[in-house]
Amino acid sequence: MKRTIAACVALLAAALAFGVASASADNVRFGVNDDEGMFEKGTGPFFSTLTSLGMYDNTITVRWDESTPSGFEDLGGGVTLQSFLPAAVAAANLAGVRLTFDVYPRHSLAAGNPSANAPRFAAWLKTLASTYPSVTHYVVMNECNQPLFVNPQYDARGNLLSAADCGQFLAAGYQALKSVNPGIFVWGLGLSPHGARVDGTVHRDSSPFDFLAALGAWYKASPYAGARIMDGLDLHPYPIPQSVPFAQGNGTGNGPAYGVATLPLVYQAFYNAFNRTAQPTVGPGRLPVSLNEVGIQTVPTVGGYTGSETPNWGIDGTTGTQDYQAQWYKQLIDTVECDASITNVNIFKLLDQSDLSGWQSGLYQLGWVAKTSAAVVKNEIATVKTCPTGAASFWSPGGSTGGSTSTGSGSSPSSTGGSVSGDLTAFSGGSTGSVMSALSNIATAGSLGGGASAIFQALGVPTQSGSGTESLVAGDGRSSTRRLASAKLPSRRFSFTKGTGITAPSLGTVRAGAYRLKIVLRPAGAKPVTLLSAPFTIDKHGKLSAVGPAKKAKAKAKPKRKPKPKKKKH
C-alpha cells in the first residue's frame, strides 16, 4: 500500500513539475545500455531477447585509447575493441536495433589533458564515423564530474577544472562527427547524478549543478561560443543508495544530486548555464533528453556470480528484490511518459554482470534467467504510451537550483534575507519521513504537487484549494504570480523561511533547525489569503516535527498589524 501511494505521489509530482506546454510522449524509445551484444558478435541471444521486450535501442561503449596505434581500446592478447564492432553493427541492423556509440577517453588522465588529446580524439571519431556510417547516434563524454572519467577534477586551490576539460572534448567531438555526417545525432555529457559542491576545496568529484554552471561559463568564453556542442542532454539518474524512495529522486549523502523524480533540478541548472546562447536548452529550447543509464540492482537467486556486493548502495533483502526492481522500473516508464523532453530511456544492462562489484541491474540473471522485471517492463512499454496522469509537458524555467527565488521572468536572482524558496517536486513518508532529503530536492520550477499532501498530513492540516492566481512568496518579500489553470486546484507555491541555527548556502544541503511552511493564495479580484503558515523543525536525523498547531489565516477587510519584536537575522 505504501509503495502504491508513493508511486501515485511520484507520478503527480512529475506531472506538475512541468509547464503548460504539452506534447505527446509516445515517441519515447526504450532500450538498454549494455555491451553484451557487442561481445557476442551476433551469435548469441542478446538482440532477439532485447526486441522481444519491445526495446529497440542499445548503447555500447567504444572508448578511445590514446596508448594504442588505432585508438581502439586494448583488451589484451593483441585484441582491440575494433575486432568486435563489425559483427555487432551487422547484428543490430539485422534485428532492427538502433545502436548508439558511447565514446570518451579510456584513461581519465588523458581526458584531463584536452590540449594534447582533444584533437586526437576528434580525429579518431572521424575515422570511427566513416567506418560505421549506419551508426548515426553518439554519446560524447561520460560522467565528467567524476574522477574515474576526468582527472583531475580540481586544481590545488579548489577551482573546478573538469568542466572546461570535458567541454573541449565534447565540442571537438561534436564538430568532428558533424564533418563526417551532419545528420549524426550527438548526445552530450552522460552527467553523473551526484557530486560535492564546488566551494573552493579540493573534492573527489563535483556537483552536477556546479559542473553545468562551470561548463556554461567555459562555453561562453570559448572559441565554440555561437555554435552547438550537443544535440541532446544525456543524464544518468541512478538513485544512490537505491533504497531512496522513487518520489524522493536521490540521496544526498554523496553531495547535491538529481534523480528521475527530480529532473527539473538538472534542467534548471542546464538552462541557467546556456540560456541566451547558441546552445539550445531543455524546455524552452526543446533540447531532447536521454536517460541513457539508470538501474536498480537485485540480489542474485541463481549461481555463477562472484565477488562481493558494493556496500552502502541499498542492495539488500528489501530493496534488492526482483519485485522492488520491477516496480521501480514500472514507475520509471510511467514517469518519463509525462516528460515531453525525454525521448530515450536505457536501462543499464539487459543481462547481469557476473562480478557482484559490478552491476546486477539487468532484466535477466546469468544464464538468461528472466527476472520479474522482464515481464513488467515488456508490459509497461506495450501498454503505457502516454502520460498516465494527463498530457506530457515540457519543463518551464522558474529559478535556479542554488536557493534562488523565481521572479516569473525566467531570471534567477540569488535569494537574500535568509530564505530559500522553490517548489517541492518529491516527498513521501508523512511525519515519519525524511524531510531533509525532500528539502534537498526542492526544484524552483513547477509545482508542489503530490508532496503537498504529505506535508499537510504531517502538520495536521487539510489540503487547501482555491482559484484565481497563486504566488510564490519568498522570505525576503519577493514573489511571482501565475494564473491557475483551472477553477479549483491545490495551492502549491510556498516559501521556506530560515529560522535560527540554519545554514543553507544552497538547496543541496538543508540543515537541521526551524522552518516555516507558508502558502499564500491571491484570488482574482480579492485580497490575498494565507492558506497556511505552519512552523516546523527538522532534527539532526532529518525528521519532521510540527511546532504547535498549524494556523490558517483569516481574510479580513483591513487586518490590523500587531507590532512584532525585532529578531536578529541569521
Side-chain angles (χ1 to χ4, degrees):
M1 184 62 166
K2 289 182 178 179
R3 185 172 296 167
T4 302
I5 293 173
C8 292
V9 170
L11 282 174
L12 182 58
L16 293 173
F18 298 89
V20 296
S22 60
S24 171
D26 57 8
N27 62 340
V28 177
R29 295 178 62 100
F30 293 93
V32 296
N33 188 313
D34 196 334
D35 297 339
E36 180 68 24
M38 175 175 60
F39 291 118
E40 283 183 352
K41 289 188 172 182
T43 61
F46 182 88
F47 289 112
S48 61
T49 303
L50 181 66
T51 56
S52 73
L53 300 175
M55 305 175 106
Y56 292 90
D57 277 54
N58 178 211
T59 295
I60 60 176
T61 301
V62 185
R63 296 187 290 192
W64 171 67
D65 191 337
E66 84 287 353
S67 66
T68 67
S70 67
F72 286 93
E73 185 176 353
D74 186 357
L75 302 178
V79 178
T80 68
L81 194 68
Q82 184 179 20
S83 63
F84 293 90
L85 291 180
V89 171
N93 289 339
L94 187 62
V97 172
R98 186 171 74 184
L99 276 186
T100 297
F101 283 170
D102 195 347
V103 293
Y104 55 94
R106 167 68 181 84
H107 301 108
S108 61
L109 288 175
N113 186 5
S115 59
N117 293 320
R120 296 176 59 198
F121 175 69
W124 175 77
L125 281 181
K126 286 185 179 181
T127 301
L128 182 66
S130 299
T131 305
Y132 302 101
S134 65
V135 178
T136 58
H137 287 75
Y138 283 74
V139 179
V140 179
M141 302 306 287
N142 181 73
E143 300 194 355
C144 291
N145 54 323
Q146 296 295 322
L148 182 62
F149 301 102
V150 178
N151 194 17
Q153 287 282 303
Y154 300 84
D155 65 16
R157 295 183 177 181
N159 297 310
L160 187 65
L161 300 176
S162 58
D165 293 346
C166 183
Q168 292 181 64
F169 276 93
L170 173 59
Y174 183 91
Q175 291 188 350
L177 291 169
K178 294 292 185 177
S179 71
V180 175
N181 176 6
I184 289 177
F185 192 96
V186 180
W187 296 101
L189 296 178
L191 191 65
S192 171
H194 65 87
R197 183 173 294 105
V198 178
D199 57 6
T201 304
V202 178
H203 297 286
R204 178 183 178 275
D205 49 18
S206 55
S207 156
F209 314 121
D210 290 337
F211 177 91
L212 287 175
L215 182 66
W218 164 82
Y219 168 80
K220 293 169 185 175
S222 77
Y224 302 100
R228 285 182 180 233
I229 56 174
M230 68 185 86
D231 298 319
L233 177 61
D234 186 1
L235 303 173
H236 296 175
Y238 294 105
I240 303 173
Q242 69 177 41
S243 54
V244 171
F246 185 92
Q248 183 177 311
N250 220 322
T252 56
N254 295 311
Y258 68 89
V260 175
T262 53
L263 289 173
L265 289 171
V266 73
Y267 291 174
Q268 183 72 61
F270 192 91
Y271 177 85
N272 292 347
F274 291 99
N275 183 33
R276 299 180 181 179
T277 72
Q279 174 57 54
T281 63
V282 181
R286 296 299 187 259
L287 187 74
V289 173
S290 170
L291 309 185
N292 187 37
E293 287 188 28
V294 61
I296 293 293
Q297 300 190 66
T298 59
V299 177
T301 60
V302 301
Y305 294 85
T306 61
S308 300
E309 190 55 80
T310 306
N312 303 320
W313 276 57
I315 309 166
D316 55 33
T318 301
T319 58
T321 66
Q322 291 187 25
D323 180 63
Y324 182 86
Q325 181 198 52
Q327 292 306 310
W328 201 97
Y329 286 162
K330 181 179 185 296
Q331 291 180 83
L332 166 69
I333 295 170
D334 293 353
T335 299
V336 300
E337 291 287 4
C338 296
D339 186 340
S341 294
I342 296 176
T343 61
N344 294 76
V345 176
N346 287 331
I347 291 173
F348 193 60
K349 303 300 177 185
L350 179 63
L351 181 68
D352 280 356
Q353 292 180 315
S354 60
D355 187 348
L356 291 176
S357 65
W359 281 84
Q360 290 73 52
S361 51
L363 305 177
Y364 292 84
Q365 298 190 83
L366 298 183
W368 293 101
V369 177
K371 298 181 185 179
T372 304
S373 57
V376 170
V377 167
K378 178 179 180 179
N379 180 71
E380 208 69 8
I381 291 174
T383 59
V384 180
K385 297 295 185 181
T386 57
C387 176
T389 59
S393 299
F394 289 99
W395 168 83
S396 297
S400 76
T401 59
S404 299
T405 302
S406 172
T407 64
S409 62
S411 60
S412 305
S414 299
S415 179
T416 59
S419 67
V420 291
S421 307
D423 298 281
L424 187 61
T425 60
F427 178 81
S428 64
S431 60
T432 60
S434 173
V435 177
M436 184 77 77
S437 299
L439 292 179
S440 70
N441 286 325
I442 290 172
T444 56
S447 300
L448 182 57
S453 297
I455 292 285
F456 289 149
Q457 181 182 8
L459 295 174
V461 296
T463 302
Q464 305 294 325
S465 299
S467 61
T469 61
E470 59 181 357
S471 298
L472 166 63
V473 181
D476 57 11
R478 289 177 298 178
S479 66
S480 63
T481 302
R482 70 185 181 97
R483 187 171 299 278
L484 291 173
S486 64
K488 189 175 183 180
L489 286 175
S491 181
R492 308 179 190 99
R493 297 289 191 173
F494 71 96
S495 67
F496 284 101
T497 302
K498 186 164 59 175
T500 59
I502 305 287
T503 56
S506 83
L507 294 176
T509 300
V510 180
R511 304 183 185 279
Y515 287 80
R516 177 175 294 275
L517 175 63
K518 185 178 182 181
I519 298 180
V520 179
L521 182 66
R522 299 179 182 273
K527 295 182 180 295
V529 177
T530 299
L531 295 178
L532 179 68
S533 181
F536 64 93
T537 62
I538 301 173
D539 66 19
K540 64 180 180 181
H541 302 294
K543 299 296 179 63
L544 169 71
S545 298
V547 179
K551 297 180 180 180
K552 285 180 59 180
K554 296 181 179 180
K556 297 181 179 179
K558 293 182 179 180
K560 184 177 180 180
R561 294 186 178 181
K562 296 181 179 180
K564 296 181 179 180
K566 294 183 179 180
K567 294 183 179 180
K568 182 180 179 181
K569 292 184 178 180
H570 296 273

